[in-house]
Amino acid sequence: MSILPNPLFLLHGFPMDARMWRHTVSYMQADRLVLAPYAGDLMSAETPSMAMMARGAMLSADALAPASRWVVAGLSMGGYVALEIACQFPDRVAALVLCDTRASADTPEGKANRDAMARAVAEQGVLAATAAMREKLLAPETGEDVREELAEMAASRSPDEIASFQMAMRDRKDHTGLLPRISVPTLVVVGEFDTISPIEVAKEMADAIPGAHLAAIPGAGHVPPLENPDAFHRVLADFLDKHRL
Ligand code: MLT
């Protein structure tokens, strides 16, 4: 009797969408079921929150593979949702992959920056308001094609969507207390040039999670699955093989 590999749930970062995972979807779907939704589709019209995105994620997971245990992978904002899923639905999580993210909540300054960006998108439009932030996302050596892809993804968002994601991130819970209680295999990944969720943050998170693996992706900034997909996929495939997921 063959045992099917666990399905893989991919949660993208901000201000991106599921295209952020396009290489990973192509690479992984040869072996397993892969779901990479747009985070905006996981929220309803209520006040946007990570809790709501986690519930929305599990509803879409159930529609595809009811009662399955998922490998839940999230990058940055997607990592905040992944931790919320691990908190609310631990029985549905077979493993966690936390990429370029953090468990702590926003500082007061971080919260004020969220409010400023929500105002700026309404006043200046999405591309202008996210330009400085997008510049920080990528490693200096990352190619122009990836920079353009990032701009295209941002340009597909409406000012209201950007504001909703900012509010959900601003009000997210601090999950540092959850980390020592995570009992599933966990991979913490970080781009070596990530300045938004840098390697020290990833190391601290990996140290707090029992048995977690830490991997730095060479040549990448905050978005390794787009900046160095081959290295990212090697690390992910090794982790999945090692834990027979
Ligand atoms: C992301 O890439 O999702 C963002 O950097 C997350 C954040 O703004 O905290």
Side-chain angles (χ1 to χ4, degrees):
M1 195 180 78
S2 74
I3 298 177
L4 287 176
N6 294 86
L8 175 64
F9 204 111
L10 298 170
L11 294 149
H12 64 80
F14 171 90
M16 297 169 258
D17 56 39
R19 285 175 280 181
M20 194 219 89
W21 292 114
R22 66 190 176 84
H23 302 296
T24 312
V25 171
S26 310
Y27 180 81
M28 285 286 155
Q29 70 185 1
D31 296 333
R32 68 185 70 232
L33 181 65
V34 180
L35 183 55
Y38 169 51
D41 294 336
L42 307 177
M43 293 200 280
S44 64
E46 300 164 44
T47 310
S49 69
M50 290 299 147
M52 187 202 292
M53 280 197 252
R55 286 196 298 276
M58 280 300 101
L59 281 176
S60 45
D62 280 342
L64 208 62
S68 290
R69 292 180 74 233
W70 291 74
V71 176
V72 179
L75 184 134
S76 200
M77 178 179 80
Y80 309 153
V81 182
L83 285 171
E84 188 62 40
I85 293 173
C87 180
Q88 283 191 46
F89 307 100
D91 297 347
R92 306 300 308 284
V93 179
L96 279 172
V97 182
L98 301 171
C99 311
D100 301 272
T101 192
R102 61 179 72 229
S104 54
D106 274 357
T107 60
E109 188 194 350
K111 286 180 196 284
N113 289 340
R114 305 277 187 206
D115 292 335
M117 179 169 295
R119 279 194 303 274
V121 277
E123 287 159 13
Q124 303 163 17
V126 171
L127 274 182
T130 59
M133 189 256 170
R134 278 185 287 115
E135 204 39 52
K136 281 202 231 149
L137 290 176
L138 302 175
E141 65 204 63
T142 294
E144 199 46 42
D145 51 336
V146 177
R147 276 166 216 283
E148 278 167 20
E149 260 187 274
L150 211 60
E152 259 174 50
M153 286 190 268
S156 310
R157 315 275 71 82
S158 71
D160 283 351
E161 285 173 295
I162 295 282
S164 292
F165 290 136
Q166 288 296 327
M167 297 308 97
M169 290 193 279
R170 179 195 65 189
D171 297 336
R172 75 185 187 278
K173 275 197 229 155
D174 184 329
H175 277 308
T176 45
L178 171 73
L179 302 181
R181 292 185 277 118
I182 292 177
S183 57
V184 292
T186 300
L187 171 64
V188 177
V189 184
V190 63
E192 71 166 331
F193 297 119
D194 189 347
T195 56
I196 296 181
S197 310
I199 194 149
E200 306 79 60
V201 169
K203 185 169 183 322
E204 211 176 304
M205 199 163 54
D207 285 347
I209 302 173
H213 308 261
L214 174 67
I217 305 298
H222 190 60
V223 198
L226 273 183
E227 297 180 86
N228 190 349
D230 291 347
F232 177 74
H233 296 147
R234 265 196 304 278
V235 163
L236 180 57
D238 284 353
F239 169 74
L240 296 173
D241 280 356
K242 181 170 177 189
H243 292 282
R244 299 173 190 273
L245 291 159

